[in-house]
Amino acid sequence: MKRHIITTADGSSTIQIEDWNEQYHSIHGAIQEANHVYIKHGLLFFIADHEPAETAEISILEIGFGTGLNALLTFFKSEELSKTINYVGVEAFPVSAEELQQLNYTSEIADSKAIFKALHETPWEESHEISEVFQITKQQKFFKDISEENAYDIIYFDAFGARVQPELWTEDIFKLMYNALRPNGVLTTYAAIGRVKRILLSLGFEVERLPGPPGKRHMLRAVKR
């Protein structure tokens, strides 16, 4: 499928898949969307919802590692808050080195060039320390092959939309997400479609429909109570 780099409304870039008319991030702002959906309503919410001792070390699973933008922003937040984060990014089809070189995140996010490079150059299937408080493992596999149970505090569910990949937004997939989360763990996603909300509720999640990032009315956050 034909792919090319586009600039979103906040000046940050993303990858567009022309055949699907689908992007890796919102055309209304890639960095704005990531900060709103995953940092504010995922990581920061989890920290605020738990006692400090429970957030000294946080495990995050990202469904759709993609360009690494969510991991990059999470790294800087972990440094800012002095929170130890174990980050696992799952991706079936890694972004090419040529595409990564065309993304402008390192010019949009201060002091990020070396970190962005490290996140992408560390070998897959191995755990690597990017700093004293941030460790990453990238796994190349399909989402349906996730088998961990009670392993993660937060899930960033950032798969391509249900319009183009409905098989990623099924009860079977979200059951795997429920199992992978620890009690009181948080799943956050840019999606807000009613069918997904109903699936999450049926699995036992406590679900909120929240204001979305720029250009999108709503998003979903689910907590495994």
Side-chain angles (χ1 to χ4, degrees), residues 49-165:
D49 195 48
H50 290 73
E51 296 296 324
E54 298 176 303
T55 64
E57 185 170 337
I58 301 169
S59 292
I60 298 176
L61 171 65
E62 181 179 14
I63 300 299
F65 182 74
T67 65
L69 177 58
N70 294 332
L72 182 65
L73 294 172
T74 302
F75 167 84
F76 282 107
K77 191 57 67 173
S78 73
E79 293 283 321
E80 176 189 333
L81 300 175
S82 296
K83 296 290 184 182
T84 298
I85 290 181
N86 178 23
Y87 197 100
V88 176
V90 174
E91 178 63 58
F93 303 100
V95 173
S96 72
E98 291 76 17
E99 287 174 319
L100 292 172
Q101 290 174 1
Q102 297 177 62
L103 297 170
N104 70 350
Y105 304 144
T106 59
S107 62
E108 296 292 312
I109 302 170
D111 303 319
S112 64
K113 186 174 182 178
I115 303 305
F116 187 71
K117 181 179 180 182
L119 290 173
H120 286 287
E121 290 189 351
T122 53
W124 291 73
E125 317 305 335
E126 299 177 6
S127 178
H128 298 274
E129 287 188 359
I130 304 299
S131 74
E132 291 184 357
V133 296
F134 192 90
Q135 179 175 286
I136 189 167
T137 305
K138 297 180 297 183
Q139 299 177 352
Q140 186 174 358
K141 62 184 180 183
F142 293 105
F143 304 155
K144 65 180 178 63
D145 296 324
I146 292 169
S147 59
E148 293 92 338
E149 295 190 6
N150 296 316
Y152 300 103
D153 300 301
I154 303 168
I155 293 177
Y156 296 166
F157 199 88
D158 199 15
F160 284 127
R163 176 180 61 84
V164 297
Q165 288 196 306

